[in-house]
Amino acid sequence: MSGTPRLLDQMRERIRVKHYSIRTEETYLHWVKRYILFHKKRHPAEMGAPEVEAFLSHLAITANVSASTQNLALSSILFLYREVLEVDLPWLEGVTRAKKPQRLPVVLTREEVRQLLAHMDGIHHMMASLMYGTGMRLMECVRLRVKDIDFPRHEIVVREGKGNKDRVTMLPATLVPALQSHLEKVQRLHAQDLDAGFGEVYLPHALARKYPKAAKDWGWQYVFPSSSRSRDPRSEAVRRHHVSEQAYQRAIKHAVRAAEIAKPATSHTLRHSFATHLLEAG
């Protein structure tokens, strides 16, 4: 399939022009590759609604994927047609999306939250405490920057949350001492990086070009940095990225098991528990 690498390169470039995250880029490219391979390497420009429907049916029936995964695959394919191939086809809006089942969220009791946190330590304990105390989503917590914590006002500014919107959430007073102590450790780590000739952090969109020195500023650093530096897959720059969300999710899973909590709790459960306990408290 000689045209596929060029097509995928065009898609990758278009994704970056629209400032989508590296996770979205990887996901969209993955599903487009699977779509093309499923149809025996036919070019997407030669296909239409029947081929898209056939691929989605395969995912649901044979691959047995969830409705959310099926819809993610569809979004990836639609991006290809709309943004890369620039094909204006009426069937794009008519392709059937899988319906997500309506389920009640899992909510922990206050005692279960205490038990969960008691079986966590280090940076993951701080992250779980912050998610429960603020109601942040997983990636909002992982991508939190130092500058967005306002200790005097007991507030946290969540940047580019769901719907690409900013919002303000509370910072519980009980978390302030532990969070300040955590940031002191992070600041020492940042100072070590600077001394070693590193210390830059990823800046969103074109800020790195507009403010070339901002990448080393303390305020732009991640609140929860990775334990090691890594190479940026886009720019090839060596930086200290934020902590792995997968490692944090594994820590939550292990804590749930250790605390003998029977509920299928995940990191997102802390957000639901936060909202529920606020309502219960009036």
Side-chain angles (χ1 to χ4, degrees), residues 23-34:
R23 286 159 53 91
T24 301
E25 176 182 320
E26 293 171 348
T27 301
Y28 276 22
L29 291 172
H30 166 78
W31 285 114
V32 167
K33 286 178 184 176
R34 286 189 59 173

Side-chain angles (χ1 to χ4, degrees), residues 92-111:
L92 283 173
E93 298 297 338
V95 173
T96 304
R97 288 183 177 269
K99 292 185 178 179
K100 296 181 181 179
Q102 296 296 318
R103 295 193 178 94
L104 292 174
V106 177
V107 176
L108 300 178
T109 65
R110 288 179 172 81
E111 179 58 29

Side-chain angles (χ1 to χ4, degrees), residues 5-147:
R6 185 167 54 84
L7 178 65
L8 294 179
D9 286 342
Q10 289 175 351
M11 184 169 178
R12 184 179 290 106
E13 181 180 352
R14 186 59 184 162
I15 289 172
R16 295 181 183 183
V17 166
K18 295 182 74 69
H19 302 302
Y20 286 11
S21 71
I22 185 68
R23 286 159 53 91
T24 301
E25 176 182 320
E26 293 171 348
T27 301
Y28 276 22
L29 291 172
H30 166 78
W31 285 114
V32 167
K33 286 178 184 176
R34 286 189 59 173
Y35 170 61
I36 294 172
L37 290 173
F38 176 77
H39 289 293
K40 303 187 185 303
K41 301 183 180 181
R42 290 175 60 192
H43 196 283
E46 302 172 357
M47 299 186 282
E51 287 80 8
V52 174
E53 293 278 12
F55 178 62
L56 296 178
S57 297
H58 162 75
L59 292 180
I61 299 171
T62 306
N64 196 30
V65 303
S66 66
S68 59
T69 300
Q70 189 185 26
N71 284 330
L72 183 56
L74 175 57
S75 296
S76 307
I77 296 169
L78 296 188
F79 183 92
L80 170 69
Y81 279 104
R82 287 172 174 159
E83 300 292 337
V84 183
L85 297 177
E86 298 182 347
V87 176
D88 184 19
L89 298 176
W91 55 262
L92 283 173
E93 298 297 338
V95 173
T96 304
R97 288 183 177 269
K99 292 185 178 179
K100 296 181 181 179
Q102 296 296 318
R103 295 193 178 94
L104 292 174
V106 177
V107 176
L108 300 178
T109 65
R110 288 179 172 81
E111 179 58 29
E112 286 172 332
V113 172
R114 281 193 287 269
Q115 288 295 321
L116 175 68
L117 294 176
H119 287 85
M120 301 184 74
D121 55 22
I123 193 170
H124 293 146
H125 179 273
M126 188 71 253
M127 292 174 66
S129 300
L130 203 59
M131 285 188 67
Y132 174 63
T134 64
M136 285 192 294
R137 297 177 177 86
L138 172 59
M139 295 310 299
E140 293 171 348
C141 179
V142 167
R143 293 170 177 162
L144 183 64
R145 310 268 184 163
V146 173
K147 68 180 182 62

